[in-house]
Amino acid sequence: MTSSLRIAPSLLSANFARLGEEVEAVIDAGADLIHFDVMDNHYVPNLTVGPLVCEAIRPHSRVPIDVHLMVRPVDALVPMFAQAGAGLISFHPEASEHVHRTIQLIRSHGCKPGLVLNPATPLSVLDHVLDDLDLVLVMSVNPGFGGQAFIESALPKIEAIRRRIDATGRDIWLEVDGGVKPGNAAHIAAAGADTLVAGSAVFGAGAGQYRQAIDAVRQAALQGRASRGSAMATRQADEVAA
């Protein structure tokens, strides 16, 4: 498992009237990434922002912009967001006619490619593409709206994906998005996630409280990571003894 743990505030919960200021504020408060949700009112029942907004916030961000495309079709938007300043671009396999080709397209434009798994998306979508990814994003809510409650069945899914990633020997990020907060961040990190998207948990704290909010999620996640490390060490000791 990678030693890094990243917190990515989701701009879906930010104040859109002062978006550049919000980006700068959460980065100053310790954000490792800026999560940028793109919805098309077609693949998901909501409409958000496009590449022009991504381009507008790029000068305000000194951390990578993590673009999550909830759109269908997806390929036409990839070069637009790459040019707009995205560092990572993730998409849903259901939105692509050729998943591997879309992954190649993202990488050819200088961005890190990620694949997004909805709550009901089977892990088999990773069977032939995991080695080509830099990121797997697990949705712990159904995509479309912020402020939803975490779906607990995401935890065993995160654990299963972590085992697959570890088996590759590559530093593939495992991101979780949906209902993340201090109260469940420990369980999410203990399951194997290393990148946590937090929208309402950060921006809902109110301006001036972003550092405390990010720190609360991070500290809970670090505790979960420590418990995971202890459990793994115990299992390895038991295997050696056996």
Side-chain angles (χ1 to χ4, degrees), residues 203-225:
F203 290 105
Q209 301 297 315
Y210 293 159
R211 180 170 295 279
Q212 292 91 323
I214 291 173
D215 285 349
V217 175
R218 192 187 306 277
Q219 290 307 313
L222 288 171
Q223 291 174 8
R225 166 168 287 189

Side-chain angles (χ1 to χ4, degrees), residues 14-223:
N15 182 345
F16 273 58
R18 47 191 295 271
L19 207 51
E21 296 173 38
E22 292 276 68
V23 168
E24 293 176 0
V26 292
I27 293 173
D28 289 343
D32 303 291
L33 304 166
I34 294 296
H35 193 73
F36 191 92
D37 289 305
V38 183
M39 305 182 190
D40 65 355
N41 197 34
H42 179 64
Y43 179 68
V44 293
N46 198 359
L47 184 65
T48 57
V49 289
L52 288 177
V53 177
C54 183
E55 185 177 15
I57 68 166
R58 177 68 264 185
H60 297 272
S61 180
R62 59 181 184 273
V63 302
I65 298 176
D66 173 26
V67 172
H68 173 194
L69 295 179
M70 289 168 271
V71 302
R72 182 195 289 133
V74 67
D75 287 4
L77 285 178
V78 167
M80 294 182 183
F81 275 98
Q83 186 175 0
L88 305 95
I89 300 179
S90 300
F91 69 99
H92 293 252
E94 300 90 348
S96 171
E97 293 295 327
H98 303 282
V99 172
H100 187 262
R101 181 176 293 164
T102 302
I103 293 169
Q104 290 178 313
L105 177 66
I106 293 169
R107 195 176 296 284
S108 73
H109 283 277
C111 298
K112 294 183 177 181
L115 199 62
V116 190
L117 278 63
N118 286 333
T121 303
L123 299 190
S124 59
V125 302
L126 298 173
D127 284 352
H128 304 291
V129 298
L130 184 57
D131 278 327
D132 298 299
L133 296 171
D134 288 308
L135 171 73
V136 177
L137 170 54
V138 176
M139 293 301 299
S140 43
V141 299
N142 287 296
F145 298 93
Q148 299 183 67
F150 183 85
I151 297 174
E152 293 293 329
S153 60
L155 292 172
K157 193 172 193 176
I158 296 165
E159 291 177 341
I161 296 171
R162 169 49 63 193
R163 289 193 293 271
R164 287 184 176 223
I165 288 174
D166 288 348
T168 70
R170 296 183 58 239
D171 184 16
I172 302 169
W173 295 1
L174 178 49
E175 186 172 41
V176 176
D177 182 6
V180 175
K181 55 187 179 182
N184 59 24
H187 298 298
I188 295 168
D194 53 45
T195 307
L196 278 62
V197 177
S200 301
V202 173
F203 290 105
Q209 301 297 315
Y210 293 159
R211 180 170 295 279
Q212 292 91 323
I214 291 173
D215 285 349
V217 175
R218 192 187 306 277
Q219 290 307 313
L222 288 171
Q223 291 174 8

